[in-house]
Amino acid sequence: MAESKKVNINDIAERAGVSIATVSRFLHGHLEKMSDKTAARIQAIIEELNYIPNASAVQLMTQHSGLIAVMAADVDDYFSTEFFKGAVSILETAHYTGVLFDANADIDYEQRQLTTIGRQNFDGLIMQPLTASSQQMQTALTRNLPVVLVDRDLDETIYDTVVTDNYVAARDVALYYQAHGVESVIVISEPLAKVSTRKERFAGVQSVYADVTLLEVDANHVRSELLVTQLVADVHQQGKKTLVFFFKERLMLDIMPFFVRKQALSEDLQLTGFSDTKLARDLDPHVRLIEQDPFLMGATAAELLVAKLTADGVSDQGDAKKIVIPATFS
Amino acid sequence: MAESKKVNINDIAERAGVSIATVSRFLHGHLEKMSDKTAARIQAIIEELNYIPNASAVQLMTQHSGLIAVMAADVDDYFSTEFFKGAVSILETAHYTGVLFDANADIDYEQRQLTTIGRQNFDGLIMQPLTASSQQMQTALTRNLPVVLVDRDLDETIYDTVVTDNYVAARDVALYYQAHGVESVIVISEPLAKVSTRKERFAGVQSVYADVTLLEVDANHVRSELLVTQLVADVHQQGKKTLVFFFKERLMLDIMPFFVRKQALSEDLQLTGFSDTKLARDLDPHVRLIEQDPFLMGATAAELLVAKLTADGVSDQGDAKKIVIPATFS
């Protein structure tokens, strides 16, 4: 093994009779610009000399690490890890490695993570943003890194973005329940302000039920049992056929058990929500779910990013794309 | 901004009258070996020259990226993202950045990810291993990287490891139910072979209930409703007070809804399991949970890793530590 330290990328290039750039391309798996014969020759020499690439050296020459940062708003959400899996599935076919960062549901922390990403040799960023400002993102990153957003929009659309059709999905679900005789809707959500997905979902419900009730809660401090007791009592008193609509899976999974435990669900009190696991629906026949496709959203974001990375020249930022992946209701 | 490209780490060092190593230490936040005055001077010069560090250049000089790879067996498990959060919380106090890799519950894929980590400039690795072989890990990594394991043991203990007290926790829970009149135990688990945690848990139950029934299932292909129907019928026929014991949270959350929906739980059919969320317990009074502390496990692993990274010289691999974080039952 000691011997392998003496071998460097120049030795490989010289022995193979190719440029250093060609060896570097080979090391990063970008084989599209070389013949099979060249690739085989480089591979043989690498094996012969027992060469272990030094990533720093390769990076200095190519300014290319092969690493893509994927930043989730909160990795504890199933949505986050699924869109990461989707992104990685595409990135690796293009010989990139995706690694996951956690913004920990904290905008200041997200800013610091972005600064770290900007300083390190990441080739690109796929991000589910907490911040609503692309100006803030740019400032934190400090350099011009290819970026694709997932799940949420920013106030200006300089980045390509992959989202669910939040407004349409929420409106269609509201129409479904209206057609089935539901008279009253209670939305349970984290605060709507500043998060594009929540605002769009609320607008969708409101387009059908103008007098929708909104309960804004803090996901980390919700007193689920008390909330359910109160809510069930109110619904009974009103005597209206009611739908409780959760905007976030984790809130639904925290609160729903108390509806189930009280056996409070019926044709007169039904639940729905955006959810990425089937658990809630398995628990009670009066629950229907709106399922996003986070894996496909991540994969699509990765496709957009890879297209930017492999395009010649600087990407045209005026040309930001927005791709909508529909949610399904069942 | 164009001007900033001309400034390099040598310029900063020269202007500050310190070595390049000192500037590098500053850039990585290792301020313990320099005076406050030196740090302030370097900071002022960096701001004055609008210097943006090039991570590759710093890495070549220091062989130090500040990046730590954290690899989870499967990022979709809440355990994984929580131990990642715990690890990051400690790493950042030591000015390291933790990024999450996903082995996707696939040993071959895990090997490829390890090879990527070995090739890139990661300073260390915290890992929940799928493989049971430290030889295999070493081979895939190709270099001598500081490693700490979480959750699972390997066949040889060359790495520091942080685990739950699986045997003791499972045995104590079995003793609790024995004292409360439970006559029969059914364990539902993914295949025990090769995964140390599962084998230890089973041995713990078996030390109390010699004739425990073991149902080994594939988490991705379990037919939950059918399984529950069968199991409830069997329990009724046997007429014994029975405990169903889940070894994995995701299995529990997939299968349990059908017990709840059938209203099958009672003093005569109770559930328990290792679980990292409270959901299952909120659903029914006949459910008790064994809670690990993945956040603390990750934080402890990070402390061990940071100790290795800041220790002078090569770590003594013969001295592998094993730290046990007890689980709680409630």
Side-chain angles (χ1 to χ4, degrees):
Chain A
M1 290 293 273
E3 201 185 314
S4 68
K5 286 192 180 165
K6 294 176 194 163
V7 181
N8 65 33
I9 191 170
N10 296 290
D11 301 327
I12 307 292
E14 198 173 301
R15 188 84 81 103
V18 298
S19 69
I20 292 172
T22 301
V23 178
S24 175
R25 252 189 235 115
F26 175 86
L27 292 174
H28 288 102
H30 294 294
L31 307 181
E32 62 280 3
K33 288 184 180 172
M34 67 183 72
S35 69
D36 290 352
K37 210 174 132 191
T38 302
R41 191 162 68 243
I42 295 172
Q43 179 63 45
I45 290 164
I46 284 173
E47 283 170 16
E48 184 193 330
L49 300 182
N50 189 22
Y51 170 66
I52 297 166
N54 176 318
S56 282
V58 174
Q59 286 163 28
L60 263 186
M61 265 171 298
T62 61
Q63 297 295 333
H64 173 77
S65 67
L67 290 178
I68 304 296
V70 180
M71 175 117 81
D74 191 330
V75 293
D76 276 347
D77 291 331
Y78 187 77
F79 182 94
S80 296
T81 50
E82 276 297 296
F83 95 69
F84 175 61
K85 279 180 190 273
V88 165
S89 75
I90 295 296
L91 291 174
E92 64 190 7
T93 66
H95 302 283
Y96 287 98
T97 300
V99 301
L100 188 56
F101 281 81
D102 178 27
N104 205 25
D106 175 342
I107 289 191
D108 294 332
Y109 187 68
E110 177 185 65
Q111 296 292 106
R112 295 203 297 280
Q113 295 282 66
L114 286 173
T115 301
T116 300
I117 291 165
R119 277 171 166 233
Q120 294 282 352
N121 284 321
F122 289 98
D123 290 341
L125 170 63
I126 296 172
M127 179 164 162
Q128 178 193 22
L130 290 169
T131 180
S133 153
S134 50
Q135 177 58 46
Q136 247 186 322
M137 271 192 65
Q138 293 273 14
T139 305
L141 279 169
T142 72
R143 68 180 167 106
N144 201 4
L145 190 70
V147 175
V148 176
L149 302 179
V150 173
D151 187 34
R152 299 171 183 174
D153 270 340
L154 298 188
D155 50 2
E156 307 138 49
T157 51
I158 64 166
Y159 301 123
D160 288 355
T161 307
V162 180
V163 292
T164 301
D165 55 346
N166 288 292
Y167 177 88
V168 171
R171 184 200 63 194
D172 288 356
V173 166
L175 286 170
Y176 169 89
Y177 282 101
Q178 191 183 46
H180 286 75
V182 165
E183 300 158 277
S184 171
V185 176
I186 300 166
V187 164
I188 301 183
S189 172
E190 291 182 289
L192 301 188
K194 289 187 182 171
V195 179
S196 65
T197 48
R198 297 175 198 155
K199 284 190 283 191
E200 289 160 18
R201 289 170 187 180
F202 192 71
V205 178
Q206 220 172 12
S207 75
V208 180
Y209 289 93
D211 59 348
V212 51
T213 303
L214 172 63
L215 289 184
E216 288 182 322
V217 298
D218 174 346
N220 293 317
H221 297 99
V222 57
R223 298 176 61 187
S224 301
E225 190 161 9
L226 193 66
L227 187 150
V228 170
T229 303
Q230 200 101 51
L231 195 150
V232 169
D234 287 356
V235 168
H236 275 267
Q237 210 187 343
Q238 300 262 329
K240 285 183 180 170
K241 201 165 171 175
T242 299
L243 172 70
V244 177
F245 195 147
F246 292 95
F247 277 8
K248 187 189 169 96
E249 170 160 48
R250 196 135 46 110
L251 267 180
M252 185 166 191
L253 296 184
D254 280 349
I255 295 172
M256 201 188 59
F258 298 97
F259 285 104
V260 173
R261 198 158 169 167
K262 282 183 196 297
Q263 299 183 27
L265 300 180
S266 68
E267 282 302 304
D268 292 332
L269 178 51
Q270 299 182 57
L271 302 189
T272 192
F274 284 84
S275 184
D276 302 299
T277 63
K278 297 185 197 321
L279 176 65
R281 191 170 49 220
D282 288 344
L283 277 166
D284 195 287
H286 304 99
V287 178
R288 283 168 174 269
L289 299 180
I290 307 161
E291 290 174 86
Q292 305 179 77
D293 193 338
F295 189 95
L296 181 59
M297 290 170 77
T300 306
E303 277 172 7
L304 290 171
L305 188 72
V306 168
K308 275 172 191 284
L309 291 167
T310 50
D312 291 329
V314 182
S315 66
D316 182 357
Q317 292 205 333
D319 234 29
K321 291 187 196 72
K322 184 165 176 173
I323 296 185
V324 177
I325 309 282
T328 54
F329 178 62
S330 59
Chain B
M1 291 295 271
E3 200 185 312
S4 69
K5 285 192 179 167
K6 294 176 194 161
V7 181
N8 64 34
I9 190 170
N10 296 289
D11 302 327
I12 307 292
E14 198 173 301
R15 187 83 81 101
V18 299
S19 69
I20 292 171
T22 300
V23 179
S24 174
R25 254 189 234 114
F26 175 86
L27 293 173
H28 287 101
H30 294 294
L31 307 180
E32 62 282 1
K33 288 184 179 171
M34 67 184 72
S35 69
D36 290 352
K37 209 174 132 192
T38 303
R41 191 162 69 243
I42 296 171
Q43 180 63 45
I45 291 163
I46 284 173
E47 283 169 15
E48 183 193 329
L49 300 182
N50 188 21
Y51 170 66
I52 297 166
N54 176 318
S56 281
V58 175
Q59 285 161 29
L60 261 188
M61 267 171 298
T62 61
Q63 298 294 337
H64 174 80
S65 67
L67 291 178
I68 304 296
V70 180
M71 173 117 80
D74 190 330
V75 293
D76 277 346
D77 290 331
Y78 186 77
F79 181 94
S80 296
T81 51
E82 275 298 297
F83 94 70
F84 175 60
K85 279 180 190 272
V88 164
S89 75
I90 294 296
L91 291 174
E92 63 190 9
T93 66
H95 302 282
Y96 286 97
T97 300
V99 302
L100 187 56
F101 281 81
D102 179 25
N104 206 25
D106 175 341
I107 289 190
D108 294 332
Y109 187 69
E110 176 185 66
Q111 296 292 106
R112 295 203 296 280
Q113 295 282 67
L114 285 173
T115 301
T116 300
I117 290 164
R119 277 171 167 232
Q120 293 282 352
N121 284 321
F122 289 98
D123 291 340
L125 170 63
I126 295 172
M127 178 165 165
Q128 178 194 23
L130 290 169
T131 180
S133 153
S134 49
Q135 177 58 45
Q136 246 186 324
M137 272 192 63
Q138 294 273 15
T139 305
L141 278 170
T142 71
R143 68 179 166 107
N144 201 3
L145 190 70
V147 175
V148 177
L149 303 178
V150 174
D151 186 35
R152 298 171 183 175
D153 270 339
L154 297 187
D155 51 3
E156 307 138 51
T157 51
I158 63 166
Y159 302 123
D160 289 354
T161 308
V162 179
V163 292
T164 301
D165 55 345
N166 290 291
Y167 177 88
V168 172
R171 184 200 61 196
D172 288 356
V173 167
L175 285 170
Y176 168 89
Y177 282 102
Q178 192 183 46
H180 287 75
V182 165
E183 300 159 278
S184 172
V185 176
I186 299 166
V187 163
I188 302 183
S189 172
E190 291 182 289
L192 300 189
K194 289 188 182 172
V195 178
S196 63
T197 47
R198 298 174 198 155
K199 283 189 284 191
E200 289 160 17
R201 290 169 186 179
F202 193 71
V205 179
Q206 222 172 12
S207 74
V208 180
Y209 289 93
D211 60 346
V212 50
T213 304
L214 172 63
L215 289 184
E216 287 182 321
V217 299
D218 175 346
N220 293 317
H221 297 99
V222 56
R223 298 176 62 187
S224 301
E225 189 162 9
L226 193 66
L227 187 150
V228 170
T229 303
Q230 200 102 52
L231 195 150
V232 170
D234 287 356
V235 168
H236 276 268
Q237 210 188 342
Q238 300 263 328
K240 285 184 181 168
K241 201 165 172 177
T242 299
L243 172 70
V244 177
F245 194 146
F246 292 95
F247 277 8
K248 188 189 169 96
E249 171 160 47
R250 194 133 48 108
L251 267 180
M252 186 166 189
L253 296 184
D254 281 349
I255 296 173
M256 201 188 60
F258 298 96
F259 284 105
V260 173
R261 198 159 169 166
K262 281 183 196 299
Q263 299 181 26
L265 300 180
S266 67
E267 282 302 305
D268 292 333
L269 178 51
Q270 300 183 57
L271 303 189
T272 192
F274 284 84
S275 184
D276 302 299
T277 64
K278 299 186 196 319
L279 176 66
R281 191 172 46 219
D282 289 343
L283 277 165
D284 196 285
H286 303 100
V287 177
R288 285 170 171 267
L289 299 180
I290 306 162
E291 290 175 86
Q292 305 179 78
D293 193 339
F295 189 93
L296 180 60
M297 290 170 78
T300 307
E303 278 172 7
L304 291 171
L305 189 71
V306 168
K308 274 172 191 285
L309 291 168
T310 51
D312 291 329
V314 181
S315 67
D316 181 357
Q317 293 206 333
D319 234 28
K321 292 187 196 70
K322 184 166 175 173
I323 295 185
V324 177
I325 309 283
T328 54
F329 178 62
S330 57

